[in-house]
Amino acid sequence: MTGRIEGHGGDLALAALRAYGVSEMFTLSGGHVFPLYDAAHRTNFPIYDVRHEQSAVFAAEAVAKLQRRPGLAVLTAGPGVTNGISGLTSAFFNASPVLVLGGRAPAFRWGAGSLQEIDHVPLVAPVTKHAGTVWSTDDVPGAVAAALTEALSPHRGPVFLDLPLEVIFSTGEVDAPTGPAIAPVEPDPDEVANAARLIAGAERPVLIAGSDVYVGDAVDALRAAAEALRVPVFTNGMGRGALPPGHPLGFAKARRMALGGADVVVVVGTPLDFRLGFGDFGDATVVHVVDAPTQRAGHVEPAVSPAGDLRLILTAFAEHTGDRADHESWITELRTAEEAARAKDAAAMAAESDPIKPARVYGELRRVLAPDAVTIGDGGDFVSYAGRYLEPAQPGTWLDPGPYGCLGTGMGYAMGARVSYPDRQICVLMGDGAAGFSLMDVESLVRQNLPVVIVVGNNGIWGLEKHPMRGMYGYDVAADLQPELRYDQVVTALGGAGETVAKAADLGPALERAFEAGVPYLVNVLTDPTDAYPRSSNLA
Ligand SMILES: Cc1ncc(C[n+]2csc(CCOP(=O)(O)OP(=O)(O)O)c2C)c(N)n1
Ligand SMILES: [Mg+2]
């Protein structure tokens, strides 16, 4: 312990937050949480405020995802907390260490009908690793520290605490909290050795690396394992970019062929969910490497599923000394397919079409994005194309909503990204439908001097729903938006700037102006409403 601290509940909470490396809060004002503002204000702890609580939680999640440290959202009692629940749920699915501190109606007259009085804990318990109420001011730092330890322990995830009015406004004096001490989860060495043997002995192995590889700081270990065992690697989520573009073992386009032909599929740091065909890889032997035993799949039985610190497991793979089969012809075969698909993509990305096809938007964007740019996807088909055509050059630079698939992350993620990286390009790729969820938070970005670039793929429809519904029923309802709506003028009205682009040739200059603007800038690209992202499943 480093001495005693005293103050109101806000001061005591902030002391613990600082000890855990939290360095800003995202919030929307409410009297129930004033002491947290007071503590922050008096000690120059940055406060960023938003126009909808979901943006506060998404901003905190972006900080957590990008910086691999806790992100904090402070939400007022009742509707403040309930408005944050989709954000918390996304963080839960994404294993993001987000702490939501909620205000709470006074405990001493609970049940008498105070303003915004509701017990949040049962509402958020299913989507958090820990949810609880702090009943006494002296308990605040300990409760915050324990919650953050839980959030940071693999498998990571969000936590929630609320503080009754009299707890947060009263004063206390307690021992100063110390920082986190998170012990790595030790994997079972036999399972690790077994997995390494299977991979090394395979003829056609494939490795898929997901977000936890970045989250668990295991990117270098992944690369070492891939290179030592000569395994082709595909990535998803925050794992994208783990092997830089051009790496001889890095693949993106030949995935179908790889998964169709593999005899061993190794999935590291991502669940065997719908994105991976629920872990059904035909006759291939499946190795599922997870960062905690809770992450082992319950619906399929992999041949082996080592659970523990991914850095330790992947390093052990890299150091495997046993027999190994030759994978070189398999790698060559995949490389041929990869190059063919890449040539097709290059043609699509350069295509001159009227109206503009989404592929061309990404062709132009690739020219102006720096290798460390953070790109954020919030939308349907337009974002599926982003996933296909944008190739992150570094891990931890691509933010998608993750498997919960919640629309509306856009401006919140953008705020968290801008706060994390004041000097990088931050680019949000938005469907026009998705834009409706968070565009008002451009006002928050403008007011707090947080410039970002927003590229809207404006097809005038909820494309990812409209096309499948037509395919299924022959008609569609509830899937149209106003065509050619001027989302750029919305941003201009909110104090930013923007323009509408209808011709492919105008895209490049517009994007350049956007990145030079120094204010939130929306490039409203009118895209082809007849274009549908090719999907194997029609259900979004
Ligand atoms: C909060 C939320 N509501 C609804 C959905 C269902 N949904 C998924 S994609 C999509 C359409 C998105 O349309 P848009 O953002 O315009 O992108 P487009 O597909 O047209 O490119 C919808 C409504 C969702 N995923 N999340
Ligand atoms: Mg749309």
Side-chain angles (χ1 to χ4, degrees):
M1 293 292 162
T2 55
R4 303 279 287 173
I5 46 165
E6 59 174 306
H8 54 54
D11 294 316
L12 301 185
L14 205 66
L17 291 162
R18 283 186 193 277
Y20 275 72
V22 177
S23 51
E24 70 289 299
M25 75 170 71
F26 299 97
T27 191
L28 192 155
S29 188
H32 291 83
V33 293
F34 278 177
L36 281 161
Y37 300 161
D38 178 54
H41 177 71
R42 283 188 286 101
T43 58
N44 291 321
F45 184 88
I47 301 171
Y48 298 97
D49 69 296
V50 294
R51 305 294 296 256
H52 190 301
E53 285 84 358
Q54 71 169 2
S55 292
V57 182
F58 286 136
E61 202 208 350
V63 163
K65 277 176 143 185
L66 293 168
Q67 298 188 49
R68 301 180 283 205
R69 62 147 169 100
L72 170 68
V74 172
L75 307 182
T76 199
V81 171
T82 52
N83 272 352
I85 289 179
S86 286
L88 267 176
T89 313
S90 293
F92 189 63
F93 276 72
N94 293 334
S96 303
V98 167
L99 168 63
V100 170
L101 285 180
R104 185 178 168 104
F108 74 91
R109 59 157 65 103
W110 194 260
S114 292
L115 178 70
Q116 296 164 226
E117 181 189 276
I118 187 169
D119 184 6
H120 312 114
V121 173
L123 294 177
V124 301
V127 294
T128 50
K129 288 187 74 185
H130 171 77
T133 300
V134 189
W135 297 109
S136 119
T137 308
D138 284 352
D139 290 343
V140 168
V144 168
L148 288 175
T149 299
E150 184 67 37
L152 290 168
S153 300
H155 189 64
R156 298 161 187 85
V159 289
F160 173 87
L161 292 173
D162 59 12
L163 300 104
L165 204 71
E166 68 270 44
V167 171
I168 195 169
F169 276 89
S170 299
T171 54
E173 189 193 335
V174 293
D175 287 337
T178 51
I182 315 280
V185 181
E186 294 284 340
D188 178 325
D190 290 341
E191 288 179 335
V192 174
N194 206 348
R197 229 181 347 263
L198 281 172
I199 305 165
E203 277 175 24
R204 299 178 309 282
V206 171
L207 193 151
I208 298 171
S211 296
D212 294 335
V213 171
Y214 176 74
V215 169
D217 202 4
V219 169
D220 291 343
L222 169 76
R223 191 172 169 160
E227 287 172 356
L229 295 174
R230 299 290 297 161
V231 189
V233 175
F234 293 78
T235 53
N236 72 14
M238 297 292 284
R240 299 186 69 208
L243 261 57
H247 189 285
L249 292 167
F251 293 84
K253 315 285 173 196
R255 190 164 147 144
R256 183 170 302 196
M257 176 182 172
L259 293 181
D263 60 348
V264 172
V265 175
V266 192
V267 176
V268 185
T270 190
L272 300 173
D273 63 14
F274 68 93
R275 294 170 299 176
L276 291 175
F278 301 98
D280 180 357
F281 302 111
D283 294 335
T285 300
V286 179
V287 175
H288 190 207
V289 181
V290 293
D291 67 0
T294 52
Q295 293 315 105
R296 288 192 172 120
H299 58 287
V300 283
E301 217 168 296
V304 58
S305 189
D309 187 283
L310 295 184
R311 229 181 327 182
L312 296 179
I313 296 173
L314 289 165
T315 302
F317 286 179
E319 289 165 358
H320 175 74
T321 50
D323 292 343
R324 59 191 65 202
D326 183 349
H327 309 150
E328 298 314 308
S329 66
W330 169 239
I331 294 169
T332 309
E333 207 181 311
L334 289 180
R335 183 57 61 197
T336 308
E338 177 85 8
E339 293 307 331
R342 205 168 275 282
K344 249 195 200 162
D345 280 3
M349 281 191 281
E352 210 53 67
S353 67
D354 184 16
I356 299 170
K357 301 249 193 237
R360 179 66 187 266
V361 179
Y362 295 113
E364 298 296 331
L365 205 51
R366 283 171 64 125
R367 285 184 227 276
V368 294
L369 286 177
D372 65 354
V374 176
T375 46
I376 296 163
D378 181 13
D381 280 356
F382 189 59
V383 172
S384 302
Y385 282 114
R388 172 153 158 189
Y389 293 121
L390 293 182
E391 292 181 84
Q394 298 177 13
T397 58
W398 164 254
L399 289 177
D400 62 27
Y404 193 54
C406 188
L407 294 175
T409 55
M411 291 306 106
Y413 273 10
M415 178 178 276
R418 172 51 76 220
V419 166
S420 296
Y421 303 122
D423 301 321
R424 291 197 194 179
Q425 292 172 331
I426 309 292
C427 183
V428 186
L429 308 155
M430 266 190 158
D432 52 337
F437 289 87
S438 76
L439 212 51
M440 194 66 204
D441 261 312
V442 164
E443 191 279 322
S444 313
L445 296 170
V446 169
R447 183 166 38 78
Q448 294 164 103
N449 194 22
L450 301 168
V452 302
V453 170
I454 306 152
V455 180
V456 171
N458 185 351
N459 53 6
I461 54 174
W462 299 97
L464 189 147
E465 306 298 352
K466 184 177 176 95
H467 295 299
M469 190 170 178
R470 287 197 84 81
M472 212 180 280
Y473 292 95
Y475 69 88
D476 64 271
V477 293
D480 287 327
L481 300 162
Q482 275 186 52
E484 304 190 6
L485 197 70
R486 294 295 301 273
Y487 295 96
D488 53 319
Q489 289 184 351
V490 176
V491 168
T492 305
L494 296 173
E499 61 188 286
T500 289
V501 175
K503 290 203 169 44
D506 297 335
L507 273 168
L511 292 171
E512 271 167 34
R513 280 190 287 277
F515 282 107
E516 290 297 309
V519 291
Y521 194 103
L522 189 146
V523 181
N524 185 37
V525 186
L526 305 182
T527 55
D528 186 353
T530 65
D531 183 274
Y533 187 83
R535 288 173 202 284
S536 45
S537 156
N538 266 347
L539 273 185

